[in-house]
Structures are given as C-alpha cells and as structure tokens.
C-alpha cells in the first residue's frame, strides 16, 4: 500500500505487558521505499534491567540514568504514530504493551510475520532476523528498537513486491478468506489486490 506507514518496535524488560516495562521505543515513518522520519528513545523502567535482556539488547542500567520516564515519552509516541497504519513483526506484542502503559492504539495493524507466512508458507523460521537474511536486507544490531523498525520497514517493502507477483485469483482468495476474521494481513492484501486490479484495468486491450 502506498499510504504513509509507521514501523514500530519496543524493547521491554520481559514478555508480560502486565508486569514488565518498556525500555526503548523505535519507530520509522515511511511511504513506499522512502523513509520520511524516525523516532527513538530509551525509557527509564524504574527498575534494574534483567541480565537476559542486557544480553539480548546490550542495554544496561547505566544507559537509563538520564533517560525519560514513560509518562514523558507517551505523548511523543502518540504524536509520531498519529493515525497511520502501524507495521510490526508480531505487532500485537508491542500494541499490548502500549495499551497496558496507557496508550491504546486503534490504528490499523499490519504484521510482517503474518504477511511472510502467507507469501512464503514453507519457510522453516519466521523470525525478523531470518526474514531479513532471506531478503538480504541490510541488518544493524538486532533487538534494538530503531534498528528493528528499519528492518521491519525494509521487510514490508520486500513482502509487498512478493505479494504483488501473486496471481490475481490467489490474491482474491486470500482477501476473501480474511474478510470476516480478525487478522493483521487483511489491510495489506486488500491493498495489493486493489492495485493489481487497477493495473489490469489500465492495461491496453489486445483485442482486434
């Protein structure tokens, strides 16, 4: 889809949005293959960062000494995202953390994990790093919010190209199958189908 989108990623102290804290927010606003704006901030969690999170992200307690608290970051994130569709890898994880922390987003959601599972149904793994490697995308430090957001935006663009190559009847079946169920791929595939149909309609007729 050609709209302005926001790729979003959070780093947190753990996996439970009810008890764990956000420690980093990264987001990239993009349209097509053009990056429009980026946002990144650490967030003081008010507690020590667990050792396994430090191992994963490289972030240590000392990194948060001058970091803002979440109440200062929340309005910035809300303003940056606005009403744009939000793209993420396992995006519901990030959305639930934001919801639990006082920022319920009702923006349209697009999950690159879901998109990849449809466009590449036989892959052994669908982690962000595996998919970035598959498409030979430029990869920075994984498990840092802004870097993961950039990789997600790049992955989205590659998945759009792949979906655009699908036969029209396949795209139609995907859109029809997802029309009445809550899944984070419908907006994407419906947009691909619309563009394919518009392209087909604009092609000159070869009839005599």
């Amino acid at each position: 889809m050609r709209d302005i989108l926001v790729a979003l990623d959070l780093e947190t102290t753990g996996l439970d949005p009810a008890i764990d804290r956000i420690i980093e927010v990264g987001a990239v606003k993009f349209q097509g293959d053009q990056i429009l704006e980026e946002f990144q901030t650490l967030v003081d969690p008010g507690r020590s960062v667990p050792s396994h999170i430090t191992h994963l992200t490289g972030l240590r307690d000392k990194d948060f000494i001058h970091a803002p608290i979440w109440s200062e970051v929340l309005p910035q994130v809300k303003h940056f995202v606005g009403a744009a569709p939000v793209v993420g890898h396992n995006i519901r994880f990030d959305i639930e953390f934001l919801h639990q922390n006082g920022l319920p987003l009702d923006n349209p959601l697009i999950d690159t994990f879901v998109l990849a599972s449809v466009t590449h149904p036989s892959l052994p793994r669908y982690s962000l790093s595996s998919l970035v490697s598959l498409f030979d995308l430029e990869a920075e430090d994984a498990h840092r919010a802004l870097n993961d957001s950039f990789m997600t935006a790049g992955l989205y663009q590659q998945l759009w190209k792949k979906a655009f190559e699908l036969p029209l009847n396949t795209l139609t079946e995907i859109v029809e199958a997802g029309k009445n169920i809550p899944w984070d791929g419908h907006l994407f595939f419906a947009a691909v189908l619309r563009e394919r149909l518009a392209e087909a309609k604009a092609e000159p007729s070869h009839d005599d």
Side-chain angles (χ1 to χ4, degrees), residues 62-115:
K62 65 180 182 180
D63 296 316
F64 299 94
I65 293 175
H66 301 295
I69 60 175
W70 174 248
S71 61
E72 297 171 311
V73 172
L74 186 154
Q76 299 176 50
V77 177
K78 184 176 181 180
H79 176 75
F80 186 87
V81 173
V86 178
V87 183
H89 203 69
N90 291 314
I91 187 59
R92 292 284 173 177
F93 172 87
D94 306 278
I95 293 300
E96 183 58 26
F97 258 93
L98 292 175
H99 179 80
Q100 287 289 334
N101 284 272
L103 183 53
L105 295 179
D106 59 0
N107 301 51
L109 302 179
I110 302 172
D111 192 335
T112 48
F113 181 99
V114 170
L115 307 185

Side-chain angles (χ1 to χ4, degrees), residues 8 11 14 29 34 44 46 120 148 168 191 205-206:
L8 174 74
E11 301 301 336
K29 193 172 294 183
Q34 182 180 5
D44 181 1
H120 297 75
D148 283 0
L168 269 175
S205 173
H206 296 290

Side-chain angles (χ1 to χ4, degrees), residues 62-205:
K62 65 180 182 180
D63 296 316
F64 299 94
I65 293 175
H66 301 295
I69 60 175
W70 174 248
S71 61
E72 297 171 311
V73 172
L74 186 154
Q76 299 176 50
V77 177
K78 184 176 181 180
H79 176 75
F80 186 87
V81 173
V86 178
V87 183
H89 203 69
N90 291 314
I91 187 59
R92 292 284 173 177
F93 172 87
D94 306 278
I95 293 300
E96 183 58 26
F97 258 93
L98 292 175
H99 179 80
Q100 287 289 334
N101 284 272
L103 183 53
L105 295 179
D106 59 0
N107 301 51
L109 302 179
I110 302 172
D111 192 335
T112 48
F113 181 99
V114 170
L115 307 185
S117 67
V118 175
T119 57
H120 297 75
S122 60
L123 293 180
R125 292 181 298 277
Y126 291 94
S127 67
L128 180 59
S129 59
S130 296
L131 292 167
V132 164
S133 178
L134 173 69
F135 287 108
D136 197 26
L137 298 172
E138 183 176 347
E140 302 291 341
D141 293 336
H143 302 295
R144 289 299 304 270
L146 184 59
N147 292 337
D148 283 0
S149 294
F150 270 108
M151 289 190 286
T152 299
L155 175 60
Y156 174 93
Q157 292 156 11
Q158 293 300 315
L159 293 171
W160 175 274
K161 293 175 184 176
K162 179 64 177 179
F164 209 79
E165 296 170 356
L166 294 173
L168 269 175
N169 63 331
T170 300
L171 281 171
T172 301
E173 290 174 5
I174 292 171
V175 172
E176 286 298 317
K179 187 176 292 185
N180 297 314
I181 61 173
W183 74 303
D184 299 324
H186 184 264
L187 181 67
F188 173 87
F189 284 105
V192 175
L193 179 60
R194 282 196 302 272
E195 287 211 18
R196 284 290 307 280
L197 290 172
E199 183 183 79
K201 187 176 181 180
E203 289 178 354
S205 173

